[in-house]
Amino acid sequence: GEDVEQSLFLSVREGDSSVINCTYTDSSSTYLYWYKQEPGAGLQLLTYIFSNMDMKQDQRLTVLLNKKDKHLSLRIADTQTGDSAIYFCAESPASGGSYIPTFGRGTSLIVHP
Amino acid sequence: EPEVTQTPSHQVTQMGQEVILRCVPISNHLYFYWYRQILGQKVEFLVSFYNNEISEKSEIFDDQFSVERPDGSNFTLKIRSTKLEDSAMYFCASSATGNVLAKNIQYFGAGTRLSVL
């Protein structure tokens, strides 16, 4: 079955860039997502990328997709303490009409001053 | 901004008891979902619901689980006889109809933490 893997923790200094990495196994993935979960809150969709794209930029967020290596990354420029949260990578398949995403375990981003 | 709301935020129950977790999806959304996350593990899909019936379910969603849309706004998950291993965070989500993109973009609630003692 599909699998999504990401590292569990990332610690950065305020003002630095953060790069959160994710690998997935499903070669038929159509959409790849990054969700953010702040303490006590639900999963908030941050950004998504279609599998026919290599890169997507949205203000401080840059998503890079290497489809050959099935590698997705999220770069946060000028990381702030408010960016501290758990970041989930997810992918949903192209086939079968299913829109159900498969999630990774989440990466805890810790931003320290 | 419209949001998915879930109640209660924390539910404590005794093993063997029935629980009902409640969700109010975004008002013009027609696809509804339940997920769970056991502490330290991945977010797992349980069930999706559309047009008053289950459209997809996972292996986790066995006979002890059921879903219902009792009225025009609520979407509930019932666990009939809770087990210790049902302790988890349960997330409700909804998505709009329309094109494939709209169906794929799911909006999540803050979750209900279920603790089975």
Side-chain angles (χ1 to χ4, degrees), chain B residues 49-68:
Chain B
F49 191 86
Y50 171 71
N51 200 25
N52 281 320
E53 59 182 25
I54 291 173
S55 47
E56 197 171 342
K57 62 181 181 178
S58 71
E59 291 175 355
I60 304 167
F61 193 87
D62 60 24
D63 291 344
Q64 70 158 342
F65 291 93
S66 62
V67 288
E68 194 178 26

Side-chain angles (χ1 to χ4, degrees), chain B residues 4-113:
Chain B
V4 175
T5 56
Q6 291 186 243
T7 54
S9 55
H10 191 191
Q11 174 87 49
V12 182
T13 190
Q14 295 289 326
M15 191 169 58
Q17 294 295 304
E18 175 183 286
V19 294
I20 297 176
L21 309 183
R22 300 180 193 280
C23 169
V24 179
I26 294 173
S27 62
N28 62 345
H29 285 184
L30 295 179
Y31 290 88
F32 314 118
Y33 312 85
W34 284 101
Y35 295 82
R36 78 172 185 192
Q37 185 182 27
I38 295 170
L39 190 63
Q41 298 188 23
K42 297 184 180 184
V43 175
E44 301 172 293
F45 167 71
L46 293 178
V47 66
S48 62
F49 191 86
Y50 171 71
N51 200 25
N52 281 320
E53 59 182 25
I54 291 173
S55 47
E56 197 171 342
K57 62 181 181 178
S58 71
E59 291 175 355
I60 304 167
F61 193 87
D62 60 24
D63 291 344
Q64 70 158 342
F65 291 93
S66 62
V67 288
E68 194 178 26
R69 187 150 163 85
D71 52 44
S73 59
N74 289 283
F75 178 53
T76 62
L77 175 70
K78 182 191 290 186
I79 309 175
R80 285 192 188 83
S81 177
T82 49
K83 308 188 200 74
L84 295 177
E85 54 265 35
D86 293 328
S87 295
M89 181 74 89
Y90 288 80
F91 292 106
C92 174
S94 68
S95 62
T97 53
N99 59 25
V100 172
L101 176 61
K103 290 174 191 167
N104 269 282
I105 303 302
Q106 297 185 20
Y107 295 82
F108 283 76
T112 293
R113 181 167 298 285

